[in-house]
Amino acid sequence: MTVFMRKTAASGEAKVAGERSLLLGIGISAVGIGMYVPFSLVFFHHVTGLSLTVVGLVMTVTGLAGLGFMPLAGTAVDRLGAKRVNLVLYGIRALGFALYPFASSLPAFAAVALVTALADRSFSVVQQSLIGEVARGAARDRLQASTRALQNAGMGAGALLVTGVLALWGTGGFTYTAWGNSLAFALAGLLVARVRAVRVVPTAGAAGTAGAAGAPAAGSAGYRTVLRDRPFLGLTAANFLTALGYSALSVLFPLYLSTWLRAPDSLTGAAFTVNTVLCAGIGVLVAGRVRRSGARRTRSAALGAVLFAAAFVGQIALGTLRPGRTATLIALLVIVVVYTLGELVHSPSGGALSVSAAPEAVRGRYLATYQLSYSLAGALAPSLFTALLAVDGRLPWAVLAVAALGAALALLRLERHLPAEAVHAEPPVVRGAAARPVPVTAAA
């Protein structure tokens, strides 16, 4: 293959052409997201003047419609390329937030919210596809880690920024925030436009290998291709089990603190702060250590799931012992640190694994299917957690621990069925043969 990539003298790792622009764009767009997501209902209530009930109903309906649009976004990626679709979605989001202050009637708000929701829900699919389009090998893992760190840092900065805006201008500042979001998405799009995709030149015999080279052409393949790929569907199912754990901190943790531990609500804010700071501060470092260790992506993702399970078991122990306030605070912070480490280990490896396991010609469809596991877990988590919590405060953590361990086991069992270029960030090396890398085709 011919690639537009270079290696840095310091690390020896391949750098993507336009990587700084890509990451800067992701960081800027994350600031925009952070300016409205934590206050979404109140944000749109003050921007449009509609009641909270109406705003909530419209957001629910448009959010569900956005989920239904994800498969179409995957098809668009395969036909047009991830970069083009990414730029279109940035443009839609920029236009949507520019129009929100003028959408004071219900039909106008519903129309703008629907179009914006379609772009928001599909963006994760397109961004993952873009990483696969611009990077190869270990560069994918590095971009996954950098993206997550920037998203956490950007969203935290956005939340702080809107807090300052509201302190200066009151609720009227939400209008300026909407226009600030529009500007952030437009600027992010301009930066991503500078990124250059990797050009792949098929080699002789490539059609017989697994993965991207052996994939059917995008025009002749549809979602039936994804549904016939049992290893990838297994990978998606394993991710659904892990994705339930990703929802625990935002959905289950606050309820567990207030109803079972009877702890102050302020601990929820402290837990989120610890999680955000660690993700932004050491996310790239942790992912780099995992990557340089040479661990297979399946095994490092499984390790992240095991760390999740350890944190959930810690919550069960804490809920059983119920120590004093100081001991509870210390235990909760330790549990959150273990949970965050699991997130930092799992996320880059799991993301790069899904991107690399998807055949290149139909990567958009594959990743749309994979990202649905996150969306379905997020939609199911509130009702599942509250139902289990009503029985026993420790029960949801037990279910999550079993799910995480099941995901880890599934990842290990899937390892030999997935393409070798997906399992390994770099081609494996044969010992005793002058350390020459073996060309990666498919796992035995």
Side-chain angles (χ1 to χ4, degrees):
M1 66 178 65
T2 301
V3 297
F4 288 115
M5 300 173 73
R6 58 186 174 83
K7 291 193 175 184
T8 60
S11 67
E13 292 185 350
K15 301 289 285 185
V16 176
E19 179 174 330
R20 291 183 180 178
S21 296
L22 173 64
L23 293 177
L24 183 58
I26 290 172
I28 291 174
S29 64
V31 172
I33 294 170
M35 286 196 294
Y36 79 92
V37 165
F39 314 94
S40 53
L41 281 172
V42 179
F43 176 92
F44 291 116
H45 165 66
H46 286 289
V47 168
T48 63
L50 297 171
S51 69
L52 289 172
T53 303
V54 171
V55 169
L57 179 61
V58 170
M59 289 180 64
T60 299
V61 173
T62 56
L64 292 174
L67 288 179
F69 186 75
M70 288 173 65
L72 297 178
T75 302
V77 166
D78 293 334
R79 293 182 176 178
L80 304 175
K83 180 180 174 181
R84 291 180 181 177
V85 181
N86 185 277
L87 295 177
V88 170
L89 296 187
Y90 269 134
I92 292 173
R93 296 163 99 189
L95 179 61
F97 278 94
L99 293 177
Y100 269 127
F102 305 103
S104 55
S105 66
L106 176 57
F109 173 58
V112 176
L114 175 61
V115 175
T116 308
L118 298 183
D120 282 342
R121 292 287 185 175
S122 302
F123 192 77
S124 58
V125 175
V126 179
Q127 183 167 276
Q128 291 293 310
S129 300
L130 180 61
I131 290 176
E133 192 173 278
V134 304
R136 289 291 185 270
R140 287 178 176 169
D141 302 70
R142 190 187 66 253
L143 282 180
Q144 292 281 352
S146 299
T147 296
R148 191 162 190 85
L150 283 170
Q151 286 174 334
N152 278 276
M155 290 183 67
L160 289 175
L161 181 60
V162 73
T163 300
V165 169
L166 296 178
L168 288 175
W169 290 292
T171 55
F174 279 120
T175 298
Y176 301 113
T177 302
W179 289 332
N181 288 340
S182 176
L183 180 61
F185 290 130
L187 182 56
L190 291 175
L191 288 166
V192 172
R194 301 175 60 185
V195 179
R196 300 171 70 182
V198 175
R199 290 170 51 187
V200 179
V201 180
T203 57
T209 62
S220 63
Y223 279 98
R224 285 179 297 179
T225 304
V226 186
L227 297 177
R228 287 196 297 264
D229 192 336
R230 291 187 178 181
F232 191 85
L233 293 181
L235 183 64
T236 303
N239 189 69
F240 170 78
L241 296 177
T242 312
L244 286 172
Y246 276 93
S247 301
L249 188 63
S250 59
V251 179
L252 176 58
F253 190 79
L255 295 174
Y256 177 70
L257 283 182
S258 60
T259 62
W260 187 259
L261 293 182
R262 304 293 183 184
D265 293 334
S266 59
L267 286 182
T268 298
F272 274 96
T273 301
V274 170
N275 177 262
T276 301
V277 170
L278 288 178
C279 286
I282 66 171
V284 175
L285 176 63
V286 171
R289 291 293 295 271
V290 172
R291 188 171 65 250
R292 287 189 292 273
S293 72
R296 300 177 185 183
R297 287 169 174 152
T298 43
R299 298 183 184 184
S300 52
L303 174 60
V306 170
L307 289 171
F308 268 5
F312 302 148
V313 170
Q315 293 283 25
I316 295 172
L318 181 62
T320 301
L321 298 175
R322 297 190 182 184
R325 183 169 181 174
T326 301
T328 297
L329 173 61
I330 295 173
L332 282 173
L333 291 179
V334 170
I335 289 170
V336 170
V337 169
V338 174
Y339 172 89
T340 305
L341 288 176
E343 181 179 344
L344 297 181
V345 172
H346 175 272
S347 180
S349 298
L353 182 62
S354 65
V355 172
S356 301
E360 187 157 347
V362 285
R363 182 184 291 134
R365 292 175 174 91
Y366 267 67
L367 293 183
T369 303
Y370 185 82
Q371 290 296 321
L372 277 174
S373 63
Y374 280 113
S375 299
L376 290 175
L380 177 63
S383 58
L384 175 64
F385 293 161
T386 51
L388 294 174
L389 195 65
V391 178
D392 190 292
R394 296 160 295 185
L395 185 57
W397 298 113
V399 171
L400 287 175
V402 172
L405 291 175
L409 180 60
L411 285 166
L412 296 179
R413 291 179 64 87
L414 285 167
E415 184 175 286
R416 64 190 180 92
H417 300 290
L418 294 168
E421 61 268 31
V423 173
H424 299 273
E426 295 290 357
V429 175
V430 175
R431 298 185 182 275
R436 295 183 62 186
V438 177
V440 173
T441 54

